[in-house]
Amino acid sequence: MKKILFYFLLAITLMSCENMLDEVPKNFVSRANYYQNEADAQGALNGAYAPVGPDFYDIQHYLMVELHGDFLNGRGSQAPISFMDKVLDQQNVGRTSGSWLRLYSAINRANAVLDNVPNIQNITEDARTRILAEAHFLRALAYFELVRGWGPVPLKTKESIDLSDLESPRVPESQIYELIIADALAAEAGLSETLGKSGQASKWAAKMLLAHVYLTTGNWAQAAEKADDVINSGKYSMVTVQQPNDFYKIFAVETSSEDIISVHHSETSQSTIPQYLHMGNNYPYNYNSSGFFAWLPDMNSFIGSSWDENDLRKEFNLYTQIQNSSGAWVPLPSTTPVLFKKFITNNDGLRIYTVPIYRYTEAFLFYAEAACQAENGPSALALERLNMVKRRAYGYSPNAASPVDYPTGMSKEEFVDTVLKERAYEFMLERRRWFDLKRTGKAKAAFAAVGKNLIDQRLLWPIPENEINNNPAISQADQNPGY
């Protein structure tokens, strides 16, 4: 909002000085003369990627989503996020506000692409189609994050260029989802089947987003169909795993056979994302800093004794020992006997980190859950795809029956609960648990199981104060309950 006000005032200043200028520089770049060719269109699209990519998927967003999970607790300034019987304190309200701002920045930049690129003359039709499709994908992804976090939100489908564009009321979630689905379908139709650069939206990323949205809105058959498309695409495969550290072949590499779309960065990045990667652990798995190991596993939850020690994901996600100054491995302190280990420095020279948005394995669990719901019970194919994920987790081939396979005969409810459990293990610290609990209506029961009372006010995040102050269509009466 402040940026829009700045540019508006700047424009007034420039107009007041117009008569003082004898000549306007021909190389002056303005909104009116920027969109001239394919390079300009691509540059605008690149600008739309930043706030919904590395800027949004940063420490503020991750700690807010993860610490709303039932399997961990925050430390220090992040501790109040884990107090589910209270509304967020002011510091953490501010963290949600930062995420809101980045998402609407992404939406405005995507809208700019969608408003202006259709009118460019000096561009190939293939490039125009791809660029517009990617902009649709980015807008859909941003609104999906918004509606799940804040519920009804302002719906903006045109670029905001002056103060008159600030007025926009909150609209029902159903209306937001209509736009998300329309945008994701446009992206699916316009994007190539050929995989693009790592981190770039593809047709398969659009299908994964659609599967996720359909699963969230209860459109089971459509969710299963889109997930099935990805599974059968021939573009991806599960990474093979025989020991816990083999999972680094998914996360500590520039790209992998499971990577559909993700955020990539290096350990030396100056952004705030690396802080997230080290937030759940401590030396020797990251730098020695007071900002780290702020996420503490709750071993009274499903990640404790009920998690099978033979599941390789357990040792990959959690650790109990560190090296002392002599190089000997000793237990962690009694105050923090277990820490998270998934996103760490791998100590083998790998310094590229993949923070997934969607990876191939999730398509199998999307399909299993959606197909079971659509067919009122688990089919043989739904069970097989659930078992493929579990087999890989135990070091078996995903494609052959194994001793750890789930049995036949589960009811619909038992099967869906089993899929959710596999999702919790498979996508730990990948922004899934909180939203899975919300969309399935199981959040209160999950927190009660670890001795916490989840109040209704925590199901949605507060609308930022700046939005209420600057948007004439929103007042304090529109604020989410509790704030």
Side-chain angles (χ1 to χ4, degrees):
M1 300 304 178
K2 292 181 179 178
K3 288 184 178 178
I4 294 174
L5 180 59
F6 171 80
Y7 288 124
F8 181 68
L9 294 175
L10 179 61
I12 294 175
T13 303
L14 291 174
M15 286 189 291
S16 68
C17 299
E18 184 176 5
N19 293 335
M20 299 171 61
L21 302 176
D22 295 325
E23 182 177 336
V24 177
K26 290 183 172 55
N27 64 349
F28 179 76
V29 177
S30 70
R31 179 180 169 276
N33 65 15
Y34 173 75
Y35 293 92
Q36 300 296 315
N37 53 46
E38 184 175 324
D40 295 340
Q42 185 62 53
L45 178 66
N46 293 344
Y49 265 98
V52 79
D55 289 351
F56 172 66
Y57 294 108
D58 71 347
I59 182 60
Q60 291 184 0
H61 166 69
Y62 267 95
L63 69 87
M64 192 56 59
V65 175
E66 293 302 343
L67 289 174
H68 275 74
D70 58 330
F71 63 96
L72 76 172
N73 293 294
R75 187 175 71 92
S77 69
Q78 299 174 28
I81 304 174
S82 302
F83 302 154
M84 305 307 290
D85 59 344
K86 300 178 177 63
V87 296
L88 293 171
D89 62 0
Q90 283 304 306
Q91 181 169 7
N92 290 301
V93 166
R95 285 167 167 154
T96 66
S97 298
S99 294
W100 172 286
L101 180 63
R102 291 180 183 90
L103 290 170
Y104 273 107
S105 175
I107 289 167
N108 200 53
R109 293 184 187 188
N111 284 340
V113 172
L114 295 170
D115 288 350
N116 293 285
V117 170
N119 300 320
I120 295 176
Q121 300 298 315
N122 188 18
I123 186 174
T124 67
E125 286 307 310
D126 285 347
R128 190 197 315 274
T129 298
R130 174 188 58 78
I131 288 170
L132 291 174
E134 288 185 64
H136 278 295
F137 175 85
L138 293 172
R139 188 170 69 178
L141 184 62
Y143 271 119
F144 189 42
E145 298 288 0
L146 279 164
V147 73
R148 290 186 300 161
W150 287 269
V153 294
L155 184 64
K156 296 173 180 288
T157 58
K158 296 293 182 181
E159 181 187 11
S160 296
I161 57 177
D162 58 41
L163 292 178
S164 65
D165 298 320
L166 295 181
E167 186 169 359
S168 183
R170 297 180 75 181
V171 302
E173 292 184 31
S174 59
Q175 194 172 337
I176 301 296
Y177 277 112
E178 286 177 5
L179 178 69
I180 293 169
I181 291 171
D183 271 345
L185 288 171
E188 179 188 34
L191 291 169
S192 170
E193 293 191 9
T194 302
L195 300 181
K197 297 180 292 184
S198 181
Q200 181 182 17
S202 67
K203 182 182 292 290
W204 314 108
K207 286 179 181 290
M208 286 294 285
L209 177 58
L210 280 165
H212 201 178
V213 172
Y214 286 141
L215 197 69
T216 302
T217 55
N219 293 301
W220 312 120
Q222 295 96 319
E225 177 187 355
K226 297 304 177 184
D228 194 57
D229 287 347
V230 175
I231 293 168
N232 293 322
S233 68
K235 302 293 184 181
Y236 307 95
S237 63
M238 286 191 192
V239 168
T240 58
V241 172
Q242 294 183 332
Q243 58 183 337
N245 281 359
D246 284 344
F247 282 103
Y248 286 124
K249 293 186 288 186
I250 299 173
F251 301 100
V253 293
E254 186 170 357
T255 189
S256 78
S257 62
E258 290 193 24
D259 185 8
I260 295 178
I261 186 168
S262 56
V263 177
H264 303 267
H265 61 86
S266 70
E267 183 180 287
T268 57
S269 169
Q270 296 303 305
S271 75
T272 58
I273 301 176
Q275 294 182 28
Y276 155 67
L277 295 180
H278 300 300
M279 192 56 61
N281 46 69
N282 201 358
Y283 182 84
Y285 296 110
N286 65 30
Y287 313 109
N288 184 13
S289 167
S290 60
F292 299 139
F293 102 101
W295 301 352
L296 305 179
D298 185 344
M299 301 308 290
N300 292 316
S301 70
F302 63 88
I303 66 174
S305 59
S306 63
W307 194 355
D308 187 354
E309 297 291 338
N310 294 314
D311 186 336
L312 301 179
R313 294 171 300 191
K314 186 169 188 177
E315 186 176 333
F316 176 69
N317 277 282
L318 305 171
Y319 72 101
T320 59
Q321 292 182 316
I322 58 172
Q323 281 180 299
N324 61 21
S325 58
S326 302
W329 287 89
V330 297
L332 286 168
S334 59
T335 53
T336 56
V338 184
L339 292 173
F340 291 110
K341 177 175 166 281
K342 187 170 199 171
F343 294 110
I344 63 170
T345 301
N346 197 21
N347 298 325
D348 64 0
L350 294 174
R351 293 295 183 267
I352 301 294
Y353 294 93
T354 297
V355 181
I357 298 176
Y358 288 112
R359 56 186 177 94
Y360 182 57
T361 307
E362 190 163 22
F364 290 82
L365 296 181
F366 278 164
Y367 179 87
E369 181 180 351
C372 176
Q373 293 280 16
E375 299 165 13
N376 202 33
S379 65
L381 182 57
L383 179 61
E384 173 65 10
R385 287 178 169 171
L386 171 62
N387 277 327
M388 289 176 73
V389 176
K390 187 178 183 183
R391 291 167 192 159
R392 195 273 294 270
Y394 282 74
Y396 294 104
S397 167
N399 301 310
S402 79
V404 300
D405 282 8
Y406 287 111
T408 59
M410 282 188 278
S411 68
K412 182 179 76 171
E413 291 74 20
E414 290 170 336
F415 188 84
V416 169
D417 285 344
T418 302
V419 173
L420 291 178
K421 181 177 70 173
E422 281 301 316
R423 287 181 59 79
Y425 291 145
E426 181 69 25
F427 305 114
M428 188 167 296
L429 301 183
E430 293 182 50
R431 305 176 308 107
R432 291 296 187 258
R433 182 62 174 171
W434 170 240
F435 292 128
D436 280 349
L437 292 176
K438 280 183 60 176
R439 68 176 175 81
T440 57
K442 298 179 183 296
K444 288 192 174 183
F447 280 100
V450 292
K452 291 185 179 181
N453 176 38
L454 171 64
I455 60 174
D456 290 339
Q457 292 88 333
R458 290 297 299 274
L459 293 174
L460 293 175
W461 297 330
I463 303 298
E465 184 178 350
N466 282 344
E467 184 71 24
I468 293 174
N469 291 339
N470 295 317
N471 184 343
I474 293 180
S475 69
Q476 184 59 38
D478 298 302
Q479 179 61 276
N480 282 329
Y483 301 94

